[in-house]
Amino acid sequence: MSKDTTGTLYVVGTPIGNLDDLSPRARQVLNAVGLIAAEDTRRTRGLLSSIGVKKRLIAYHGHNEAQQTPVLIAKLLSSESIALVSDAGAPLISDPGLVVVRAAREAAIPVVSIPGPSALTAALSVSGLSTERFVFEGFLPRRPGPRRSRLALLSRESRTLVFYESVHRLPDTLEALQEHLGPDRLAVIARELTKVHESVYEGTLAELGKRMSGDILMKGEFVVMVAGNEITHPAEDSEVTRVYELLAKEIPAKKALALTVSITGASRNRVYSLTRGG
Ligand code: SAM
């Protein structure tokens, strides 16, 4: 089937709280497509009724992605256009969508982004933490073993860390973060962004842990952001230099530099400027 007879899969961002954040383009696409694939049809019906749109909906969520994908692809191939939405924010960002997007791309069906809000970018943009480089971790594993391994891997990460978290697990998560990243690491928690109880808390992991576990009225949705390792430990320069000097006595400067980077977790640039490349 030639490309111009297929429909288009629109990946549509929807509000993360405030309905006014639905973009005019998203509204237009939701109105124009033949079908909307929604993570939760009831919730999406609510959004559609707020903009006066009535549309056929089909459920597409984490438990039926594999079954629904061929159904959606068949419709797209028969020239029906489909909008994919999740409950809130950007589809595929800790939300369903990857299976159908991949399948559509493989079938040469146009996949078009209608970007909108995401808790990830909304939270980062008000955090005051470095946004030059960051790592999006989504939800940490629930089970203690895998969670420990994940956090151990992240303990030396120098980029800003971003996690999604639910209210039930927030205290445990803050405790685990303290344990692995250290109680003094600077962090920011963005809660209920764009909603009535929107708030942004800043402090060390220890301070935030205390504050969140003491607040029994704490409710809502949260993004937890933690400063990267380097930013909070500028005092460790002497340790970086010490490791480098020890190594440089035994091995060539270039190798000593590379090893210092992996042992201390400091960036290559930082090791270089501290030691002036040996
Ligand atoms: N796809 C969504 C996005 O682009 O942000 C994320 C979906 S994920 C299943 C839901 C998580 O996103 C929540 O548990 C919370 O961590 C975060 N989240 C969603 N809305 C939020 C809001 N208004 N304020 C803070 N965090 C939010």
Side-chain angles (χ1 to χ4, degrees):
M1 187 164 285
S2 85
K3 224 178 176 174
D4 48 344
T5 61
T6 72
T8 296
L9 176 65
Y10 293 98
V11 182
V12 182
T14 59
I16 56 169
N18 189 326
L19 294 184
D20 286 343
D21 290 336
L22 187 75
S23 76
R25 199 164 158 238
R27 194 181 281 240
Q28 188 195 328
V29 165
L30 292 173
N31 209 3
V33 290
L35 180 68
I36 298 174
E39 185 182 7
D40 178 340
T41 51
R42 250 184 54 188
R43 192 161 167 154
T44 299
R45 234 181 273 285
L47 174 71
L48 294 178
S49 82
S50 79
I51 55 167
V53 170
K54 270 198 173 155
K55 205 50 73 173
R56 268 190 307 136
L57 295 176
I58 184 169
Y60 179 93
H61 46 70
H63 302 293
N64 72 0
E65 277 194 277
Q67 296 100 286
Q68 290 293 61
T69 291
V71 177
L72 296 180
I73 295 296
K75 288 182 186 296
L76 287 159
L77 288 174
S78 67
S79 75
E80 185 161 19
S81 284
I82 298 177
L84 171 75
V85 297
S86 61
D87 282 358
L92 282 85
I93 304 300
S94 289
D95 265 344
L98 182 61
V99 183
V100 71
V101 165
R102 272 198 183 145
R105 293 183 61 80
E106 265 165 34
I109 292 164
V111 181
V112 172
S113 168
I114 308 294
S118 174
L120 165 64
T121 45
L124 268 174
S125 62
V126 294
S127 70
L129 296 175
S130 173
T131 49
E132 204 175 339
R133 291 189 178 80
F134 60 85
V135 188
F136 176 56
E137 281 289 318
F139 293 93
L140 276 168
R142 285 180 190 204
R143 289 191 296 127
R147 192 170 59 180
R148 263 200 304 278
S149 321
R150 191 79 218 132
L151 286 173
L153 275 177
L154 293 172
S155 64
R156 291 200 162 147
E157 175 59 63
S158 61
R159 293 168 290 182
T160 300
L161 300 164
V162 188
F163 304 92
Y164 279 170
E165 199 45 281
S166 72
V167 64
H168 313 290
R169 288 205 301 275
L170 187 65
D172 276 359
T173 296
L174 288 172
E175 207 177 302
L177 287 171
Q178 270 186 72
E179 196 182 306
H180 289 87
L181 311 183
D184 300 330
R185 192 80 79 90
L186 184 66
V188 175
I189 298 180
R191 171 192 173 218
E192 294 285 87
L193 291 173
T194 79
K195 303 186 201 175
V196 181
H197 297 293
E198 166 165 353
S199 21
V200 178
Y201 309 89
E202 179 181 332
T204 63
L205 281 171
E207 286 164 354
L208 289 173
K210 225 186 236 167
R211 187 163 180 186
M212 299 295 147
S213 58
D215 190 346
I216 50 161
L217 295 175
M218 190 57 71
K219 279 189 195 137
E221 299 193 279
F222 300 84
V223 180
V224 180
M225 294 157 285
V226 187
N229 194 352
E230 239 184 338
I231 302 156
T232 51
H233 295 296
E236 287 178 2
D237 285 358
S238 57
E239 176 66 2
V240 175
T241 315
R242 189 184 72 84
V243 170
Y244 176 82
E245 280 171 0
L246 275 174
L247 292 168
K249 277 187 199 152
E250 308 294 331
I251 53 177
K254 213 170 152 186
K255 216 166 183 176
L257 194 143
L259 261 180
T260 307
V261 168
S262 57
I263 291 170
T264 62
S267 72
R268 203 184 154 75
N269 276 350
R270 182 166 157 231
V271 179
Y272 190 84
S273 68
L274 284 170
T275 61
R276 292 199 200 86

